[in-house]
Amino acid sequence: MNKIVGENLKTLRKSKSMSQEKAADCLNISQSAYARMERGESTSWAIHFNKICQMFEVSPQELVKKGLGDFAYDSLINTERLSEISMLSAYRKIIKQYEVQIKDLKTIIKHLKKGRNL
């Protein structure tokens, strides 16, 4: 269990672009104590269980789940994909607005040309 939690701690910490020192500071422990938890050499993660879950915004089940690294990677990919989809949607809305403006301008130009021919 210590190895699984240790791997998950490392994955979660890296996904937050957090150093071991910063993670240790959040838990009010030394960097070396935190490093031992990540290596699976310590059970002290159990003492800080709730704080770790809050710090990394994961459920208790996720923290002890084997293969969280795969989940975190998939989650990162899905987040990036959602961001791309959101940006595309915004671009499409902007393009649609410009298309409507172009159509309106063409109508105005058409009416102006008719007014000259009178």
Side-chain angles (χ1 to χ4, degrees), residues 45-56:
W45 59 266
I47 297 167
H48 305 285
F49 194 76
N50 290 331
K51 182 99 175 179
I52 291 169
C53 290
Q54 290 174 350
M55 180 171 70
F56 292 123

Side-chain angles (χ1 to χ4, degrees), residues 1 28 33 40 46 58 63 74 84 88-89 94-95 108:
M1 179 64 75
N28 295 319
V58 294
L63 183 59
D74 291 345
E84 288 175 9
L88 285 173
S89 177
I94 291 169
I95 290 169
I108 291 169

Side-chain angles (χ1 to χ4, degrees), residues 60-90:
Q61 294 85 357
E62 289 173 312
L63 183 59
V64 297
K65 181 180 179 181
K66 188 172 183 173
L68 179 65
D70 299 334
F71 171 78
Y73 179 75
D74 291 345
S75 178
L76 179 63
I77 297 298
N78 288 338
T79 301
E80 289 176 358
R81 181 70 180 133
L82 287 174
S83 179
E84 288 175 9
I85 291 169
S86 178
M87 286 178 56
L88 285 173
S89 177

Side-chain angles (χ1 to χ4, degrees), residues 95-111:
I95 290 169
K96 186 67 175 170
Q97 289 173 347
Y98 280 119
E99 287 174 343
V100 168
Q101 288 177 351
I102 290 169
K103 183 178 176 184
D104 290 345
L105 288 171
K106 285 181 178 180
T107 302
I108 291 169
I109 290 170
K110 183 178 175 181
H111 288 295

Side-chain angles (χ1 to χ4, degrees), residues 9-33:
L9 286 173
K10 186 175 184 177
T11 299
L12 290 165
R13 178 180 58 79
K14 287 186 173 189
S15 74
K16 298 275 187 183
S17 301
M18 186 183 285
S19 67
Q20 282 187 342
E21 187 174 333
K22 176 68 176 166
D25 285 346
C26 290
L27 299 174
N28 295 319
I29 60 175
S30 69
Q31 184 272 330
S32 60

